[in-house]
Each structure stands twice: as structure tokens, then as C-alpha cells.
Amino acid sequence: MTSRPIEWINRWINERWPLSAVLRLAIDEEIPGGSRFVYTDGSAVFLLFTLQAITGILQVLFYVPTVDHAYDSLNYLRTEVPFGWLIHGMHFWGANLMIVVLALHMTRAFIWGAYKKPRELVWLAGVLLLLVTMGFSFTGSPLTWDQHGYWAGEVGTSIAGTIPVVGDMQKRLLRGGEGMGQLTLSRFFALHTMVLPLLLVSAFGLHIIAFKVRGTVGPWDALKRRLSGPFWPDQVYKDVLTGSAIFILLIFLSVFVPPVFWGPVDILDTNYVPKPDWNFLFLYQVLKYFQGPLEPVGTVGVPTVIVLLFVTLPFTDRNPEKNPFRRPLVMLCGFIFAVTITALTLLGYYSRGLAELPAGSPAVSSLLGPDDAGAAKTPSVSQPSDQSAPAQKTGGMPSATVETNSRTMPGEGAHVIGNAERGGAVFGNYCAGCHGAKGAGGMQNPGSDEGKVPQLNPVEREIYNKDPKAFAENLDRFIQHGLVPPGKKPLLSMPAFGDTHGLTQQQIANVEAYIMSLNGIDRGQIVNPGMEPRNFFILVASVYILMLFIQGGIRIKSGIP
Amino acid sequence: MEHDSQIPEMGHVEATRRRFLKWLIAVLAAVNALIAGIPFLRSLLGPSVAAQKNEWSKVAAVDLLPQDSPVDMRFMAESGEAYLHNTVLRSVWVIKHSPEKISVFSPVCTHLGCYYQWNGQADRFECPCHASVFAPDGKVISGPAPRPLDTLESKIENGYLLVKWENFKAGVPTKIPVA
């Protein structure tokens, strides 16, 4: 009885829009040789892209593409919005996994000969999808506008700038000017969230329609091809199983290997070694072999050759034979290509950066301003006498009625999630001299009531706070504004690193993250997880296991093969 | 599916298997959608951490406030919203009854959140949006406002009036603070 209204709706729609025909194209397919798990790689890429779109839209509801708030807004999502950690984690890992699965998908198409006549368009649209995906990866990284993302963008656009003749124009197009800045971020954001998605959806339409018209290539063995199996529901079931596995993997990675907090962009921090994301490492490595006048060979030549190889493949290899064992030359070429890319990637990964400085480089100490150059030696503290120092954007209250002491307010650095590891390096250079290595023990400080420089590991109880934000603010007041310890004539005092610009706000944020980590507090701790990530994973895993048992039980009870 | 357990023909088994697969696909897809959908929806329903930090702000020197006459006092206060840490200009209505007794009203109309004004000639507060009218003690005289003007916590310290800024839910008869 219930089917009648459905039939009526079905007829009503079909008279106006070819719903049945579209559905038939989507699911009516006889797969030569039957359904197989190997064929689920394409739908896995599709699932990953769908998840990227959903998590991407969710991120845009919190993230702002401005240089002063991109990093903060992302971290707000990650630490203070319920399940924000999951949204960003899945987007980050989804992006990485998408490239892996895409590579597998193309490898399979290559081995199965799925690019051959009459499936050339499927392959070509696929190559376009690969390029768009690489574009997503390239424009996505800088959006975090942290140390890692900023430099990935800087290096990437610089490479575009080395291309002969059009390079400079191309760089300016990408950056919105000579240097990296707000316009760069806006352009990357627009590319990543508007231009590339449109391109991808168009290329995907081309790819999937071409694919559905000709269907799966199936096994190369004629014997196996005799039998066939339906796409719906057999193959779809396997697709859903693979999809679920990917889904749980993404959640697992988001819970147990969350993306790193790289710390805010700090162009003065010369200790940072920029390296591109792993999927561009092969190009990065190639560039090292082509330097000087040969540079364009690496920057334009190699990528162009790779793209041309992909694009021309269906036309250069016109042999109709699909069995890989009977196409040894093509297989060998493919193998050499894969090994080369992998080897270059590994070389790039394990190599020292192009700009890597020897340890203990003087770059950092040269950043010391003249008024606290002696920070580590004899800090005759320079209390900031000039209030005009534009130390903070947020600190002061420029009101006539209220005289607020901006020296007691935390500065910008307190609100930013720093990177503890990088903070450790700064600490070693600036703070360890008085507070001891790892803040473990202070130097003697004659003339002060305490008699020694305070220990930071563990830190005084009044400064410690379980809430990472409050802890950072407590620390920040001292680092920004300094302190003359009580006592008759203390030999050492805490320099005002923020007010005197002895340290950048980014360095201060990193140092705070480091001192907090010494005290067992993670600066990037999730304040409002919605649900503890581990518990969430256990819950999800339990649901899947339960489902596995239930469906197994039904199968056995009803004798379903 | 009970009748399938008798020895079926091959076609029958195949049909059952396919039906079962279709069910499994639907259930798996639904479970996955819920696993992602519930957290994602949760993220949209609002950050529940108290974003607003309510700290005492110095608003005026008590001596300089006029007696029994409402004044619009402006002051800068630190405002934290999501990831923004800004200094914003706030305004409150202050009425000094005596050097010890001062009323402080939020400048926001309790009806729909417009900023109301003082009409000195009629000795009353008037909201320009929907013509709610309030007495100097905050009581509703006429108009759609569902509750009296919202008072803000205040104290006097060293001759200064200090106020704790807060937002309240508009349009409801009770004063409910909102983050």
C-alpha cells in the first residue's frame, strides 16, 4: 500500500526530470568478474572528498582568513568548540589520506589498463582531478597561517616566481603583491574554498559520467570476465565497508595523532627550516639538483614533463592489451616512475633544509634590542619608561576615565597557542641563563629578598593554573613587562621582553607553551572537547564492533552467504 | 526472512542476500552519518565555554556624577569573544541617588535589544525601536518591554564607581544572563 504514493511521486518527477535514467546510470552496472574490494578505491576518494567538503564548510564557520586571526580562530575551533578538534583533525588527515588513496587509485587504473581506449576521458578527467587535489593541498596548508603553513606558502609561491618570463607575474597573482601578506591569505582562501571546489566538481562530473558510460574495466583474465556481478548492491556494499574503515581511520588519527600546533608566524625566527608538505617533497628535492641557471628545469620542466606523461599516456600506449604481465615495458616505466617519486620524497624528507643553519647560529641573539642586550648576563632591568611603546594591541585601555596599568595586563602572546618545542630553543637562549636549564634551578640573586632567581620547573603555585589560557596569562605578565624582585638592591631583575621587543610576541607565546609543558600543561590542550577524544574513539569503535556481531548473527541465523 | 530458512532455490538465496546487503548498506551509511553528524551538529550549537570575561570596569568618579539625573557613562572594557580580544567602548546609564547608592542600568532595551535614550523633559527612558517607556527606576511604563531595565552589578571603591558588564536575554520576562 505504501508503494502507491512513492510510485506517484516517482512518476511525477520522471515526467519532469529523468530521475530513473540518472539512477540507472548511477547504479545499473554489471561488473565483469563481479565486485571486488580492489575496486573500492574510487569511491574511497569520493568519500574523502565529501568529508573534506563537509568539514571544510564547518571550519569556515569558525575560521577567518585574516593574518592576525587565522591561527587564533583555527585554534579556537580546535580547543574551545565542542568537537572542533574532530572537525579539523578529520580535514587535516582527510587531506593527507586523499592524496594517498588517489595515488593508489591511479596506480590501479594504470595496472588494470583502465586508461586505454575507450576510457581515455576517464583517465584525463582523473589527471585533472589529481592536479586540482594537489592545488587543494598547496592552497590549504598556508591557511593555518602558522610557521609551517606560512613558509609552505612562501616557498611555494617563490618557486612559481622562478619560472622564466611569466614567473614574476604568476607570483604576484598568487600573492597579491610582492610579499606574503593579507592579500596572499585571501587569495589562497578564495582558491581553496571557491575556485578549486568548482573545478573539482566539474572535473568529477566529467570523470564519473565517462566512467559510468563505459563501466569498470574488470579483470584482464578472459576466464574471470565470463561471470559478472551487479554494482548495486554488491559493489556498493564493499564500497561502504571500505568507506567505514577509512572513516574510523580518520577518527583514530584525529584522536591519537592530532595536527601539530606549529606556533604563530614569526618571520624573525630564522631558526625555522621551511619544508613543504610531504606530497610536494619530491619537487622540493628535484629543485636541489637544478640550481643556478638550471633552476627553471626543476621548477617548470620537471612538473611539466610529469603532467605531460600523465596526459599523453592513453595516446602513447595504444596497445589494447590490458594484462600487466603482457605489457612489461609500460609496467617497468610505471614502476621506475613510482620508485623515483618515492625515492625523491624520502630524500627530501630526510634531507636538511635548503636554509638550515648550523646549531647555535647567532641569528637569534642578534635580535636582542640594545636596551636589554645583556638579558642573560647582567640584566640591570630596563623598565619600559616610554608608555608609547606599541607593545600590545589588546593591553591598554585608552580611556580618560580609567587609568589602567597596561603593565599588569597580559599581551598578545598570552592569547596565542605557542609551540613548546620552538619555545624551548628560545628559552635556552634567553631564559636558561638565569632560570637554569629547563627552568630547573635559578641563579643566585644577591640583594633580593628571595636570594635567587625563581625556579620555573615547577613554577610558583600562584602562577600555575590548570587552565592553559589562565596559566599563559599569568606567565605572560612577567615576560611582557618584566619584574624587579623585592629586596634592597637585587642584582638581577626580569627584563620586560615584550615591552622592549626583546622577544617577538610569537616567541613569547612559544616560551609560554614551553614553560607550561615543563609544568605538565599542554598549551594546546582541548578546553572544551564536547567529548574526550579517547572516549569518543572507544564509543565509535564499540558501535562498529557491535554492528559487526549483529550482522554476523543475522547472516548465520538466516543462512545468508 | 523466516520462510527463507527452508531449502531455497539458488535464485531465492541470491535475492535474500541482496536484500540483506541493501539493508546493511543503509544501516552502515546511517551509522556513519550519525557518528559524524552528531559531533558536527554539536559544534554548531554553540561554544559552551564562557567566552565573556566579566571583570570590574572603572566607570566614573562618584564625586563628579550629578545627583538623581541619569547620565550615559562610556568606558573602555576588555571584551573576549571567541578568538578576539578587543578593547571595546561600552555605555551604561548611571543614576546617583546618594554618594553610597548608585543605580546602573544596562543600556540595552529589554524588549529586543535596542539602545534606549533618556528623555529629560518627560523624565523617562524611551526606546526608539518599539516605543517602550521606562521610569527612572527602570520600571516599564508602557510599550512592549517584557521586564524592567536590567541593572548591572556595581560597587564603589576609592571614590570610583566600578561596574561589571553583562548581557541579558532580550524579549523574556525574566533577567537571564547570556554569555
Side-chain angles (χ1 to χ4, degrees):
Chain A
M1 288 299 115
T2 49
S3 66
R4 234 182 238 168
I6 293 173
E7 265 170 32
W8 185 85
I9 293 171
N10 199 17
R11 190 156 14 95
W12 190 92
I13 294 174
N14 271 299
E15 281 163 7
R16 289 154 182 84
W17 200 85
L19 179 68
S20 298
V22 170
L23 272 179
R24 266 201 305 279
L25 182 69
I27 64 175
D28 268 10
E29 185 193 336
E30 278 296 307
I31 301 174
S35 64
R36 289 180 68 180
F37 269 105
V38 194
Y39 303 155
T40 60
D41 53 355
S43 68
V45 180
F46 177 69
L47 170 82
L48 281 165
F49 172 69
T50 312
L51 281 174
Q52 290 306 94
I54 294 169
T55 51
I57 291 170
L58 286 166
Q59 288 195 112
V60 169
L61 298 179
F62 298 93
Y63 169 85
V64 288
T66 65
V67 291
D68 50 354
H69 288 305
Y71 183 64
D72 293 345
S73 61
L74 179 66
N75 291 343
Y76 170 74
L77 169 71
R78 293 184 59 185
T79 60
E80 291 182 54
V81 173
F83 292 105
W85 58 270
L86 180 68
I87 293 169
H88 180 65
M90 285 180 79
H91 197 81
F92 173 83
W93 282 114
N96 286 296
L97 210 58
M98 191 158 161
I99 289 164
V100 174
V101 180
L102 201 57
L104 290 176
H105 185 49
M106 292 190 82
T107 309
R108 213 247 309 161
F110 179 76
I111 295 173
W112 261 250
Y115 53 88
K116 298 188 174 213
K117 194 182 169 188
R119 294 188 177 79
E120 298 97 323
L121 270 184
V122 184
W123 175 262
L124 287 180
V127 173
L128 189 57
L129 284 169
L130 172 75
L131 295 178
V132 173
T133 307
M134 290 303 253
F136 267 112
S137 173
F138 177 67
T139 53
S141 228
L143 296 185
T144 56
W145 213 252
D146 53 14
Q147 269 301 70
H148 177 76
Y150 175 87
W151 289 106
E154 152 78 42
V155 175
T157 47
S158 297
I159 288 173
T162 62
I163 296 168
V165 191
V166 291
D168 194 49
M169 197 179 70
Q170 194 167 333
K171 187 173 87 178
R172 294 180 69 95
L173 261 178
L174 278 169
R175 285 189 179 175
E178 253 329 292
M180 295 277 288
Q182 177 55 52
L183 295 180
T184 320
L185 184 54
S186 294
R187 281 173 198 212
F188 275 68
F189 181 71
L191 283 171
H192 192 80
T193 60
M194 289 169 228
V195 180
L196 290 172
L198 280 175
L199 267 176
L200 188 123
V201 169
S202 318
F204 176 73
L206 194 65
H207 185 68
I208 198 74
I209 291 173
F211 167 72
K212 281 293 173 181
V213 166
R214 283 299 171 172
T216 311
V217 67
W220 51 81
D221 188 345
L223 220 61
K224 282 188 189 162
R225 292 180 66 88
R226 277 209 203 133
L227 287 174
S228 68
F231 173 76
W232 169 257
D234 290 32
Q235 184 60 45
V236 175
Y237 174 64
K238 292 190 167 103
D239 287 342
V240 171
L241 282 188
T242 304
S244 302
I246 284 181
F247 199 57
I248 201 162
L249 176 64
L250 282 182
I251 294 174
F252 175 86
L253 290 167
S254 307
V255 169
F256 296 101
V257 201
V260 176
F261 289 94
W262 287 100
V265 176
D266 187 0
I267 46 172
L268 296 184
D269 183 356
T270 49
N271 277 0
Y272 183 77
V273 182
K275 260 195 189 181
D277 287 314
W278 65 270
N279 48 312
F280 289 110
L281 278 175
F282 72 98
L283 264 183
Y284 163 84
Q285 189 62 21
V286 161
L287 293 188
K288 294 186 186 170
Y289 305 131
F290 298 100
Q291 290 187 354
L294 286 178
E295 202 178 33
V297 178
T299 53
V300 205
V302 174
T304 311
V305 167
I306 292 175
V307 173
L308 279 179
L309 277 178
F310 276 120
V311 169
T312 54
L313 176 67
F315 311 105
T316 47
D317 175 24
R318 302 172 77 112
N319 173 9
E321 177 61 60
K322 298 216 171 65
N323 186 344
F325 299 105
R326 292 197 199 139
R327 302 148 55 209
L329 186 66
V330 179
M331 284 300 116
L332 186 69
C333 290
F335 182 73
I336 290 171
F337 179 80
V339 167
T340 311
I341 297 284
T342 312
L344 286 170
T345 303
L346 289 174
L347 280 172
Y349 184 81
Y350 288 107
S351 71
R352 284 155 58 100
L354 284 171
E356 201 147 8
L357 294 164
S361 99
V364 165
S365 48
S366 70
L367 290 182
L368 269 174
D371 35 5
D372 63 353
K377 297 156 214 157
T378 47
S380 59
V381 159
S382 48
Q383 277 289 354
S385 50
D386 65 317
Q387 290 281 34
S388 61
Q392 311 105 305
K393 282 185 202 156
T394 52
M397 292 216 261
S399 160
T401 45
V402 188
E403 26 101 27
T404 322
N405 192 349
S406 68
R407 285 185 212 171
T408 62
M409 306 273 277
E412 218 179 315
H415 304 306
V416 182
I417 297 182
N419 178 292
E421 205 181 310
R422 309 204 60 72
V426 179
F427 189 92
N429 284 337
Y430 286 82
C431 320
C434 292
H435 291 285
K438 293 189 176 175
M443 261 172 80
Q444 296 298 323
N445 190 7
S448 71
D449 289 349
E450 294 250 336
K452 57 195 282 220
V453 178
Q455 190 179 357
L456 299 175
N457 177 17
V459 82
E460 280 169 41
R461 202 172 285 172
E462 305 88 75
I463 297 173
Y464 178 87
N465 200 311
K466 266 190 176 166
D467 173 13
K469 272 175 142 180
F471 196 169
E473 283 181 13
N474 291 345
L475 288 169
D476 194 78
R477 290 188 174 91
F478 296 100
I479 304 175
Q480 298 287 356
H481 315 301
L483 181 81
V484 181
K488 278 183 205 149
K489 225 181 169 189
L491 181 69
L492 302 168
S493 337
M494 174 75 183
F497 284 108
D499 294 338
T500 59
H501 307 300
L503 289 176
T504 62
Q505 291 299 314
Q506 297 89 323
Q507 284 175 314
I508 290 177
N510 290 343
V511 167
E512 283 159 12
Y514 175 70
I515 298 172
M516 287 166 71
S517 76
L518 291 177
N519 289 277
I521 297 290
D522 176 6
R523 180 65 183 91
Q525 181 188 316
I526 304 172
V527 185
N528 190 20
M531 185 174 187
E532 273 309 317
R534 272 159 204 272
N535 295 348
F536 180 72
F537 181 75
I538 292 169
L539 181 73
V540 170
S542 318
V543 169
Y544 278 114
I545 291 168
L546 193 69
M547 285 206 36
L548 198 70
F549 279 119
I550 292 176
Q551 70 96 26
I554 296 176
R555 265 172 200 262
I556 291 166
K557 196 161 170 273
S558 313
I560 300 166
Chain B
M1 274 175 228
E2 285 301 309
H3 57 279
D4 287 348
S5 55
Q6 301 143 5
I7 304 158
E9 306 162 42
M10 277 305 285
H12 210 135
V13 173
E14 181 58 17
T16 312
R17 191 186 66 86
R18 287 193 186 177
R19 192 145 27 97
F20 179 68
L21 279 192
K22 286 176 191 173
W23 270 105
L24 261 184
I25 290 169
V27 171
L28 261 172
V31 165
N32 285 337
L34 284 178
I35 285 174
I38 293 171
F40 290 174
L41 195 65
R42 179 74 189 80
S43 76
L44 295 180
L45 287 177
S48 48
V49 206
Q52 211 78 24
K53 241 199 277 172
N54 295 326
E55 280 173 355
W56 291 105
S57 303
K58 239 182 226 184
V59 168
V62 174
D63 290 349
L64 301 178
L65 287 171
Q67 187 78 22
D68 291 320
S69 163
V71 268
D72 179 7
M73 290 304 304
R74 304 266 160 117
F75 60 99
M76 301 300 291
E78 219 191 327
S79 150
E81 191 199 342
Y83 42 84
L84 297 175
H85 301 272
N86 289 332
T87 322
V88 292
L89 183 66
R90 297 213 189 279
S91 138
V92 287
W93 284 96
V94 177
I95 309 173
K96 180 165 88 172
H97 309 290
S98 72
E100 290 80 39
K101 198 167 175 291
I102 298 176
S103 308
V104 180
F105 292 119
S106 156
V108 181
C109 177
T110 55
H111 176 219
L112 288 176
C114 291
Y115 279 60
Y116 56 81
Q117 294 148 4
W118 171 248
N119 180 339
Q121 269 137 13
D123 211 26
R124 61 193 205 176
F125 292 108
E126 295 171 355
C127 183
C129 290
H130 302 91
S132 287
V133 178
F134 304 89
D137 64 355
K139 290 213 176 78
V140 181
I141 298 175
S142 65
R147 64 167 189 265
L149 292 176
D150 296 318
T151 50
L152 293 172
E153 217 181 314
S154 65
K155 65 179 180 184
I156 297 163
E157 230 175 60
N158 304 326
Y160 283 99
L161 173 70
L162 277 74
V163 171
K164 229 179 212 180
W165 175 268
E166 243 180 320
N167 291 311
F168 301 96
K169 201 167 181 170
V172 291
T174 42
K175 181 178 162 188
I176 307 165
V178 285

